[in-house]
Amino acid sequence: MLENMIEEILIDEKTLKNRVKELGESITAAYDEDDDIVLVCILRGGFIFMADLARQVKLPVACDFMDVTSYEGTTSTGNVRIIKDLEESIEGKHVILVEDIIDTGLTLKHVISMLETRKPKSIKVCTLLDKPARRSVKEVEADWNGFEIPNKFVIGYGLDYDEKYRNLPYIFVPKPELYEDN
Ligand code: 5GP
């Protein structure tokens, strides 16, 4: 049963909704109507956040998707490989990278350096969650950050455990038994 594996609901549905709205407003205020903007979702963890965030940005933005190596287990390996690249060119465009969480920062560092070679006009980062205690790449900073969270493994609202639970509408800390049993 799902309830049995929740240690703590860290961010509930209403809090997520309010914060995503604020982030959307802040992004809207940072650009002009005629700027060429593309929201780039880092799959798969970012897809729920991106869908909600995009609807709170009141500008004509494009949406594109990029899949990089999935996260195995509960610690990051730093091995970033493109599984699915963007469909459109980002040259001369304002890119906003939409991430579920910045943990070590390694994924973002690799994605940013890769995208910079494609000559975008700017690259900014909007992350839902930030785990600053785990950062190994100090120079990686989000321009928009939903919530700073403690150094705990979290699940829900796009974030998975073993590819499951991304569909849960809140963010929770699982009981250790969830991954100890596997
Ligand atoms: P990085 O360590 O490179 O910053 O994090 C890369 C990816 O690892 C994130 O985009 C996310 O998908 C995954 N990740 C990091 N921390 C967590 C966590 O607490 N829970 C889950 N489910 N995934 C995480």
Side-chain angles (χ1 to χ4, degrees):
M1 279 298 286
L2 183 62
E3 297 77 56
N4 298 339
M5 62 183 219
I6 297 176
E7 172 107 359
E8 174 195 1
I9 296 201
L10 202 63
I11 312 171
D12 66 26
E13 212 174 332
K14 189 159 178 280
T15 311
L16 279 168
K17 193 168 179 232
N18 291 340
R19 185 69 184 124
V20 172
K21 186 164 186 283
E22 284 175 5
L23 291 171
E25 284 165 1
S26 173
I27 290 173
T28 305
Y31 297 89
D32 293 327
E33 268 294 305
D34 49 8
D35 282 340
D36 209 350
I37 305 161
V38 54
L39 297 177
V40 170
C41 174
I42 315 281
L43 296 168
R44 280 165 250 176
F47 86 105
I48 301 260
F49 175 43
M50 168 95 155
D52 284 346
L53 180 72
R55 281 175 286 183
Q56 298 300 332
V57 175
K58 309 298 178 194
L59 294 164
V61 294
C63 296
D64 209 339
F65 302 85
M66 183 172 213
D67 196 357
V68 294
T69 35
S70 59
Y71 193 82
E72 283 169 24
T74 53
T75 53
S76 184
T77 60
N79 293 325
V80 175
R81 188 166 53 89
I82 298 184
I83 296 162
K84 186 216 164 290
D85 207 340
L86 300 175
E87 296 297 324
E88 306 293 331
S89 163
I90 55 167
E91 191 172 342
K93 296 179 185 168
H94 292 283
V95 172
I96 305 174
L97 285 173
V98 180
E99 258 282 34
D100 53 353
I101 184 166
I102 309 180
D103 186 26
T104 62
L106 284 164
T107 309
L108 209 52
K109 184 186 168 213
H110 285 90
V111 169
I112 291 173
S113 48
M114 219 158 46
L115 294 186
E116 267 168 352
T117 65
R118 303 180 190 185
K119 302 190 176 61
K121 195 160 186 180
S122 69
I123 301 187
K124 289 196 185 286
V125 175
C126 178
T127 187
L128 178 69
L129 307 175
D130 186 13
K131 251 192 227 176
R134 292 254 310 149
R135 191 80 81 262
S136 63
V137 191
K138 300 288 175 223
E139 69 271 21
V140 171
E141 282 290 333
D143 300 275
W144 292 278
N145 177 10
F147 303 89
E148 238 179 54
I149 62 162
N151 186 11
K152 290 180 174 174
F153 185 72
V154 293
I155 306 177
Y157 198 73
L159 291 126
D160 73 313
Y161 175 67
D162 211 10
E163 288 308 323
K164 297 195 191 81
Y165 314 114
R166 295 190 195 274
N167 55 317
L168 297 178
Y170 46 80
I171 290 178
F172 72 98
V173 179
K175 289 195 170 143
E177 300 93 271
L178 176 71
Y179 36 89
E180 278 166 6
D181 287 349
N182 286 283

